[in-house]
Amino acid sequence: TQDLLAQADYLADRSLATVLFLALRMGRPIFLEGEAGVGKTEIAKVLSATLGRKLIRLQCYEGLDVGSAVYEWNYAAQMIAIRLAEAEGTVDRARLTHDIFSDEFLIKRPLLQALEPDTGGAPVLLIDELDRTDEAFEAFLLEVLADFQVTVPEMGTVKAAHPPIVVITSNRTREIHDALKRRCLYHWVDYPSAEREVAIVRTKVPGISATLSEEIVRFVQALRREDLFKAPGVAETLDWAGALTELDAVALDPATVSDTLGVLLKYQDDIARLQGSRAGELISQLRADMTAAE
């Protein structure tokens, strides 16, 4: 599984690869929790690409309901069908009701799409940032995750012949109910070690020098130990590495770091804390550590 993920340049540690392997073999959803920007969403994209499966993404938000997540009826088309039947003078109410509540008028949203048969194999269903929704939507998901089915009152129950590969992510802005977690295999996606993060940077940012990549990672790892409102994730590390490469930087210096902190940090209070002497102190410390390591 590690090799499979590596084919799409995702460098996973053994514990993550093991949980993914078990989720695939056991047909269980996987629940990934961790700080924003550590690569949770990317896992679903990589599985889709490497397994050759379609990716269906449900982006969660406050107020998400069944109409946006599962299905809704095309009311405008239904009204036109009713008017046409009335105009023709052949209105059979029972038949008309059956006709307008059929597949032709059903707008399928991500959860229903994921349960449909696919000649390319069961899709990867990404339920992203579940913690942004409310508990009512969580409760609705229990039927989907337990039996891989949803109920459309006008049509009956739709059940997947081959369950999708389900990846659920959460940034832990609130706790997810135990009933949902019990239906999944769980993994906490943590910040990578310095060695693995250096490898990620060198893989994702071609052409970056060995010295600059190591300095970037050591600087970011030091920032994560600072008292910041939001520590930078791996996504921000890669963005910053790309930005410094565009600026033809060969090593970190306080001026360049201060000028580009907006790529790495997203809150003004955090940027203000690092600008000036503190950035210089961190650079001096990481260079001393690198020299000692040699």
Side-chain angles (χ1 to χ4, degrees):
T1 307
Q2 277 183 303
D3 291 342
L4 180 75
L5 297 176
Q7 290 174 19
D9 295 336
Y10 192 97
L11 306 182
D13 59 26
R14 184 178 176 84
S15 60
L16 172 58
T18 301
V19 174
L20 286 174
F21 171 79
L22 291 173
L24 293 171
R25 290 299 295 265
M26 297 169 66
R28 296 282 296 279
I30 183 166
F31 186 86
L32 301 173
E33 206 165 37
E35 299 293 338
V38 293
K40 302 184 297 296
T41 300
E42 191 69 15
I43 290 170
K45 295 179 180 179
V46 167
L47 286 175
S48 170
T50 54
L51 296 175
R53 305 294 182 89
K54 180 169 67 175
L55 176 66
I56 298 174
R57 179 172 182 171
L58 175 62
Q59 181 61 54
C60 298
Y61 54 87
E62 187 177 351
L64 179 65
D65 59 8
V66 173
S68 300
V70 189
Y71 76 96
E72 62 181 331
W73 293 105
N74 188 339
Y75 296 115
Q78 286 175 322
M79 287 302 299
I80 293 171
I82 292 170
R83 296 303 183 201
L84 287 173
E86 290 175 343
E88 291 171 358
T90 58
V91 180
D92 181 331
R93 290 186 179 276
R95 181 175 178 180
L96 183 59
T97 300
H98 178 271
D99 289 346
I100 64 173
F101 288 111
S102 63
D103 220 46
E104 179 184 353
F105 299 96
L106 188 65
I107 301 173
K108 299 173 182 178
R109 300 304 188 194
L111 292 183
L112 190 55
Q113 291 172 20
L115 301 181
E116 291 186 309
D118 193 316
T119 55
V124 176
L125 172 62
L126 168 61
I127 303 175
D128 208 15
E129 298 184 329
L130 180 62
D131 52 318
R132 293 181 178 271
T133 64
D134 55 27
E135 292 185 2
F137 184 74
E138 262 188 67
F140 173 80
L141 275 182
L142 296 180
E143 179 187 13
V144 179
L145 298 180
D147 302 314
F148 295 105
Q149 66 180 34
V150 296
T151 301
V152 180
E154 299 85 353
M155 294 178 65
T157 300
V158 179
K159 185 176 179 66
H162 301 286
I165 300 166
V166 182
V167 178
I168 304 172
T169 74
S170 168
N171 293 333
R172 209 177 186 180
T173 57
R174 70 172 179 85
E175 287 295 331
I176 302 300
H177 199 277
D178 288 345
L180 189 140
K181 285 186 175 182
R182 280 199 304 272
R183 287 160 171 78
C184 307
L185 302 186
Y186 177 87
H187 187 76
W188 174 266
V189 184
D190 209 347
Y191 294 117
S193 64
E195 293 76 15
R196 192 156 63 88
E197 194 162 12
V198 168
I200 292 169
V201 170
R202 291 174 182 172
T203 299
K204 294 287 190 178
V205 187
I208 192 169
S209 70
T211 300
L212 180 60
S213 61
E214 187 166 353
E215 287 190 355
I216 286 171
V217 168
R218 284 179 178 269
F219 188 89
V220 171
Q221 296 258 332
L223 283 189
R224 291 177 187 147
R225 295 190 291 271
E226 296 284 310
D227 184 21
L228 300 177
F229 185 78
K230 172 63 179 71
V234 179
E236 285 77 26
T237 304
L238 294 174
D239 285 344
W240 197 40
L244 293 175
T245 302
E246 291 293 335
L247 294 174
D248 296 324
V250 293
L252 296 183
D253 63 81
T256 303
V257 169
S258 294
D259 291 342
T260 57
L261 277 175
V263 181
L264 193 59
L265 303 173
K266 308 303 178 183
Y267 290 90
Q268 175 54 30
D269 290 349
D270 290 344
I271 292 173
R273 184 188 298 272
L274 268 295
Q275 281 179 329
S277 61
R278 184 56 185 153
E281 291 170 6
L282 290 176
I283 293 171
S284 298
Q285 182 60 51
L286 73 85
R287 290 207 173 120
D289 292 342
M290 290 172 66
T291 301
E294 292 173 359

